[in-house]
Amino acid sequence: MYSEITGTNFTNKMNHNTLPLQMSRIAKPWYHLNHKKVLIVDPEKVDVDDYYAGYVGRYYFFTDKAVGQENFMMTPEAFKQAVEQYDYVAIPETHRTFTVLTQKVYHQHVITGFFKITNHGLKRIH
């Protein structure tokens, strides 16, 4: 863990728009181990394909159930079912398809932020 943190801190100093820094702009880190399901919406396909987004989510939210996803090309019904499998959704960077589907399904305009999934849509967590 120490090695991972040191590597992440080094990367953050070299690049001011890394995923961990984006996460710090939308949410506070969690410090207690939990099993909350967190969806990390990441428009960077490579971050999702190499599991980087999921790892960042696991460390940041101290959960074993954080998952990164980039592809949201699905019907509104499938989108709603997919999102409702999670407890929270983190959107550190604008994701056009996610924003459009959120508008269609929940009638909410979300761009970035950290949200709790409710029966009535996404509730912003400050």
Side-chain angles (χ1 to χ4, degrees):
M1 183 108 171
Y2 180 74
S3 174
E4 295 292 328
I5 291 170
T6 302
T8 300
N9 286 339
F10 176 78
T11 303
N12 290 346
K13 288 178 184 175
M14 302 310 286
N15 183 352
H16 298 287
N17 204 31
T18 62
L19 187 55
L21 289 176
Q22 290 174 338
M23 295 292 279
S24 69
R25 292 180 200 131
I26 64 164
K28 293 180 181 175
W30 295 350
Y31 297 107
H32 297 286
L33 180 61
N34 65 85
H35 303 290
K36 298 292 183 185
K37 296 177 185 175
V38 181
L39 173 62
I40 311 297
V41 177
D42 191 344
E44 303 297 328
K45 184 173 176 15
V46 68
D47 286 351
V48 174
D49 288 348
D50 67 7
Y51 302 103
Y52 179 65
Y55 287 128
V56 169
R58 286 184 186 113
Y59 284 119
Y60 200 81
F61 294 113
F62 211 168
T63 179
D64 58 347
K65 299 191 179 186
V67 176
Q69 185 170 339
E70 176 269 334
N71 186 353
F72 291 94
M73 295 302 290
M74 56 185 72
T75 66
E77 294 79 18
F79 175 79
K80 184 174 184 188
Q81 287 178 348
V83 168
E84 289 178 352
Q85 293 178 35
Y86 297 93
D87 300 308
Y88 297 91
V89 61
I91 312 167
E93 186 176 348
T94 304
H95 189 290
R96 177 80 177 126
T97 308
F98 191 89
T99 299
V100 168
L101 283 168
T102 304
Q103 180 69 45
K104 285 183 181 181
V105 172
Y106 297 111
H107 308 291
Q108 293 177 274
H109 184 73
V110 298
I111 298 174
T112 61
F114 185 58
F115 303 88
K116 179 164 181 49
I117 309 298
T118 70
N119 293 336
H120 306 293
L122 308 179
K123 181 181 177 190
R124 184 178 295 274
I125 306 283
H126 295 283

